[in-house]
Amino acid sequence: MSTTFDLEYDLQGELVGVGGDYGVAEGLTEHALRHVDLHPRGTYHVCCRRPLDVTAVLDRLARNGTDFSVDFFLPSAEVMIHAAASWLPKATTLFVNAAEHRLLEQVIDPRALPEVVITDGPRAAVVRRFGRQVASAVPPPHPAHEVSGAGDTLAGTYLAHRSQGATTAQALAEATAAAARYVAAPPLPIPAPRRG
C-alpha cells in the first residue's frame, strides 16, 4: 500500500488535523541503509521527513565518509532538524526554505554548515557557506500553478549542475529558473489520463 493521508478541516475550511499511514514507506529506512552499505562511496540526497529514521541514515553516511546533501519537509522540519543536527555539519549541502532556515538557526550555528541553499518562494534564493552569503539568484517571474515539488526541482537541478562543474552562482541561477518553470506549468488533471 502506498502512503495515504487523512486531512481534517473545521467548518471554516481550516486544517485542524493530519493523519498518515506510510504504507510501503515504512520500509524506507532499512532500504536506504542496505543501499548505503552496498554503495558506501556513492553520493546521496536525504529527504529528512517521516517515516525515515534520519539519525540511523545520517549516522551511517557520516561514519562511511559518504558525500550527502539534505533537505526537509516543513510540516516535520522542526522535529527532523533536531534529530539531524549532529550530522548536518558533515553534509555537503543543506536545502531549506526561509521558514526551515529560521528553525535551523535555533538548533545549530550556521557558521558550522559547509553550504546552505535557502529559498523564499518568488524572492531571492541564496547560498551561504559557513554562514557567509556566496551567491544569490532571483527566480524569473512566473505565475504559480503548483508549488508542491518546486523545492525538489530546485535541489535536483542545483546538485546536477554542481556535479557537472558549474559554479555555485551558475547552479543557483539554473536551479531557480527550473523551479520557476516547474511552478508555472499547468497542473495535471485529476485523475490524470491513462497512458498507453
Side-chain angles (χ1 to χ4, degrees):
M1 186 177 82
S2 186
T3 304
T4 59
F5 294 98
D6 293 315
L7 305 176
E8 182 183 343
Y9 294 88
D10 65 16
L11 294 175
Q12 289 73 40
E14 294 294 318
L15 183 64
V16 294
V18 178
D21 183 350
Y22 294 107
V24 70
E26 290 290 351
L28 182 61
T29 299
E30 292 76 23
H31 173 77
L33 292 173
R34 277 193 307 275
H35 195 277
V36 169
D37 287 343
L38 289 171
H39 307 281
R41 294 288 151 223
T43 299
Y44 294 88
H45 180 73
V46 181
C47 299
C48 294
R49 55 196 73 181
R50 292 184 181 114
L52 184 70
D53 181 347
V54 297
T55 59
V57 173
L58 296 180
D59 184 63
R60 183 78 49 91
L61 291 168
R63 280 191 292 120
N64 287 352
T66 305
D67 285 339
F68 66 94
S69 55
V70 172
D71 75 5
F72 298 95
F73 181 54
L74 188 55
S76 62
E78 186 169 8
V79 170
M80 292 298 185
I81 287 170
H82 280 279
S86 297
W87 295 277
L88 295 181
K90 296 181 185 318
T92 56
T93 307
L94 273 66
F95 293 90
V96 292
N97 63 32
E100 293 162 347
H101 187 253
R102 288 188 292 276
L103 294 170
L104 183 68
E105 288 181 311
Q106 294 171 14
V107 175
I108 191 166
D109 183 346
R111 294 173 297 183
L113 303 171
E115 184 173 77
V116 182
V117 177
I118 307 161
T119 59
D120 195 8
R123 288 166 289 288
V126 299
V127 178
R128 293 191 179 145
R129 287 212 179 101
F130 298 106
R132 232 182 93 244
Q133 184 173 316
V134 296
S136 70
V138 176
H142 291 296
H145 290 287
E146 175 58 62
V147 296
S148 293
D152 295 331
T153 301
L154 184 134
T157 303
Y158 182 86
L159 292 170
H161 281 275
R162 290 293 286 148
S163 75
Q164 295 172 350
T167 66
T168 302
Q170 291 167 332
L172 187 62
E174 291 292 337
T176 55
R181 284 190 304 275
Y182 175 85
V183 301
L188 292 174
I190 296 178
R194 287 182 134 338
R195 294 185 182 172

